[in-house]
């Protein structure tokens, strides 16, 4: 039995409970969590913006130590330090055959499985495959990646989603080049990672935009050269900062129609907007046909940073070891399992960066 944060139904409050976690079966790995990040996607799953089989244990950004492996597992052994990979690629679907593993059609098949039970025998599903809001979890062997040396295990949890997503949005999707100008909308965990990634990419000007004035210090520490409090004039202000041209690249980490539209408006003619934020079906973004032609801009979605976790994790670890990437700077509070509901409320209120559950 291990303690976990259980979502009993969509829209219901999380419950901290003891769950019955079985030993790993064939092809499975049991991991003792060191830490798990609280991501906006977890909130989106809990409120129904994204679908999840329930009851479920949420949490998809985590790192820990392997404590047992099932039959046939050869890639890791007990004692190995690992990062959880919530979207393991199958390697055989159409997207995987194109090398676009972040779009794997089968990556989330495991989320429908029953992986544990409550004390009264109720079946539990692993939210986004890995169920990281628990002291321990059992996952498919494809859901663990060896942690490279030199990365603190607790902070390494952030590599599982926030950093892969923010870094990938800048380097894989937007492909920021040295000397380009960048605007990042939303200074949460992913936004802070995107700001650091833009600095690593050599951006000459990095504008952070958020609704909260209190996040300016966080943003500047991550690499922002300028900070704007979001308003109806944000796009105009960004053009004023960039010789009336607009930025080369805008990265939207909020998932609201108005923010996506502003990000698009703040880029130069021929500029690139990458949308990372997950919005609801009711969020409609509109453009007229003439402006699409005239501005020649590119608008692109970005799933999991368009990243290949197995290939990108060693590169990110190198940035950490060399001091270019500061994982701890993304974390604004370290909490226990009981603190997750309050972390959800802080996200809704636009407060702080990443909350990290530390076990």
């Amino acid at each position: 039995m291990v303690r976990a944060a259980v979502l009993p139904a969509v829209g219901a409050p999380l419950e901290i409970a003891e769950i019955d976690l079985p030993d790993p079966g064939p092809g499975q790995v049991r991991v003792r969590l060191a830490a798990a990040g609280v991501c906006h996607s977890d909130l989106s799953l809990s409120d129904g913006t994204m679908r999840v089989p329930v009851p479920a244990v949420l949490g998809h950004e985590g790192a820990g130590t392997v404590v047992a492996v099932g039959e046939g597992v050869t890639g890791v052994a007990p004692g190995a330090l690992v990062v959880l990979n919530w979207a393991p690629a199958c390697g055989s679907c159409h997207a995987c055959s194109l090398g676009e593993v972040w779009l794997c059609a089968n990556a989330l098949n495991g989320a429908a499985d029953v992986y544990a039970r409550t004390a009264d025998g109720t079946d539990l599903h692993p939210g986004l495959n890995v169920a990281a809001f628990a002291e321990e979890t059992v996952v498919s062997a494809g859901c663990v990646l060896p942690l490279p040396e030199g990365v603190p295990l607790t902070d390494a949890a952030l590599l599982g989603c926030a950093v892969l997503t923010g870094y990938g949005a800048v380097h894989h999707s937007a492909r920021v080049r040295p000397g380009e100008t960048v605007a990042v909308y939303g200074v949460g965990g992913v936004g802070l990672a995107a700001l650091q990634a833009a600095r690593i990419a050599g951006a000459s000007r990095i504008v952070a935009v958020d609704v909260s004035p209190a996040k300016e210090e966080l943003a500047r520490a991550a690499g922002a050269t300028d900070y704007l409090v979001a308003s109806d004039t944000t796009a105009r202000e960004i053009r004023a900062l960039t010789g009336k041209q607009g930025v080369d690249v805008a990265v939207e980490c909020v998932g609201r129609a108005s923010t996506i539209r502003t990000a698009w408006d703040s880029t130069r003619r021929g500029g690139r907007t990458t949308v990372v934020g997950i919005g609801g079906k009711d969020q409609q973004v509109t453009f007229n046909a003439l402006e699409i032609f005239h501005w020649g801009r590119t608008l692109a979605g970005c799933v999991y940073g368009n990243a290949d976790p197995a290939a990108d994790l060693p590169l990110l670890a190198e940035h950490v070891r060399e001091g270019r990437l500061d994982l701890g700077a993304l974390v604004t509070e370290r909490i226990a399992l009981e603190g997750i509901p309050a972390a959800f409320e802080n996200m809704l209120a636009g407060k702080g960066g990443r909350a990290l559950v530390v076990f």
Side-chain angles (χ1 to χ4, degrees), residues 15-111:
E15 299 175 355
I16 308 303
E18 295 275 343
I19 67 170
D20 185 5
L21 190 67
D23 292 332
Q28 292 185 322
V29 177
R30 183 164 177 147
V31 178
R32 180 181 300 117
L33 273 297
V38 182
C39 178
H40 203 282
S41 295
D42 297 310
L43 178 60
S44 295
L45 291 166
S46 71
D47 67 16
T49 299
M50 298 167 62
R51 292 184 180 181
V52 61
V54 290
V57 174
L58 302 183
H60 61 279
E61 181 182 86
T65 304
V66 173
V67 294
V69 300
E71 181 183 350
V73 175
T74 59
V76 293
L81 305 183
V82 295
V83 175
L84 297 181
N85 173 20
W86 61 268
C90 72
S92 59
C93 70
H94 182 63
C96 286
S97 73
L98 297 174
E100 297 173 351
V101 296
W102 55 92
L103 298 178
C104 175
N106 301 309
L108 292 178
N109 286 355

Side-chain angles (χ1 to χ4, degrees), residues 5-226:
V6 177
L7 177 70
V10 173
L14 293 180
E15 299 175 355
I16 308 303
E18 295 275 343
I19 67 170
D20 185 5
L21 190 67
D23 292 332
Q28 292 185 322
V29 177
R30 183 164 177 147
V31 178
R32 180 181 300 117
L33 273 297
V38 182
C39 178
H40 203 282
S41 295
D42 297 310
L43 178 60
S44 295
L45 291 166
S46 71
D47 67 16
T49 299
M50 298 167 62
R51 292 184 180 181
V52 61
V54 290
V57 174
L58 302 183
H60 61 279
E61 181 182 86
T65 304
V66 173
V67 294
V69 300
E71 181 183 350
V73 175
T74 59
V76 293
L81 305 183
V82 295
V83 175
L84 297 181
N85 173 20
W86 61 268
C90 72
S92 59
C93 70
H94 182 63
C96 286
S97 73
L98 297 174
E100 297 173 351
V101 296
W102 55 92
L103 298 178
C104 175
N106 301 309
L108 292 178
N109 286 355
D113 294 343
V114 172
Y115 93 112
R117 289 179 172 81
T118 62
D120 65 5
T122 302
D123 291 345
L124 286 172
H125 302 280
L128 290 186
N129 285 327
V130 297
F133 288 166
E135 294 170 330
E136 295 187 12
T137 189
V138 172
V139 300
S140 165
C143 289
V144 296
L145 295 169
L147 176 65
E149 293 183 3
V151 181
L153 180 60
T154 301
D155 291 347
L158 302 169
L159 295 173
C161 185
V163 177
L164 272 172
T165 301
Y167 182 90
V170 169
H171 286 265
H172 300 320
S173 179
R175 298 182 182 273
V176 174
R177 298 181 291 266
E180 288 193 311
T181 53
V182 177
V184 175
Y185 287 79
V187 184
V190 174
L192 287 167
L195 289 169
Q196 291 202 44
R199 173 177 46 76
I200 291 170
S204 60
R205 188 159 213 154
I206 305 171
V207 185
V209 183
D210 197 275
V211 295
S212 173
K215 292 188 180 181
E216 180 171 359
E217 185 176 348
L218 272 176
R220 290 189 181 276
T225 58
D226 302 272

Side-chain angles (χ1 to χ4, degrees), residues 224-345:
T225 58
D226 302 272
Y227 189 85
L228 298 177
V229 177
S231 71
D232 293 340
T233 62
T234 296
R236 192 183 315 155
E237 293 176 69
I238 288 177
R239 287 194 295 273
L241 289 170
T242 53
K244 300 184 180 179
Q245 297 300 309
V247 290
D248 296 297
V249 169
V251 180
E252 200 274 357
C253 304
V254 180
R256 292 197 187 100
S258 58
T259 315
I260 294 169
R261 179 69 222 206
T262 300
W264 162 277
D265 287 338
S266 68
T267 60
R268 63 169 175 83
R269 197 174 187 190
R272 312 182 303 279
T273 298
T274 287
V275 179
V276 179
I278 301 172
K281 293 180 180 179
D282 59 329
Q283 295 287 314
Q284 299 293 315
V285 189
T286 59
F287 306 91
N288 67 60
L290 180 60
E291 69 174 315
I292 292 175
F293 162 77
H294 172 76
W295 288 103
R297 293 165 170 154
T298 300
L299 178 68
C302 179
V303 178
Y304 202 8
N306 292 8
D308 178 349
D312 286 336
L313 193 59
L315 176 61
L316 292 171
E318 179 65 17
H319 286 311
V320 173
R321 287 192 294 268
E322 295 299 321
R324 294 184 291 266
L325 179 60
D326 183 355
L327 299 177
L330 276 65
V331 180
T332 51
E333 58 176 343
R334 296 174 187 263
I335 60 175
L337 279 172
E338 290 81 1
I340 296 174
F344 281 178
E345 292 299 320

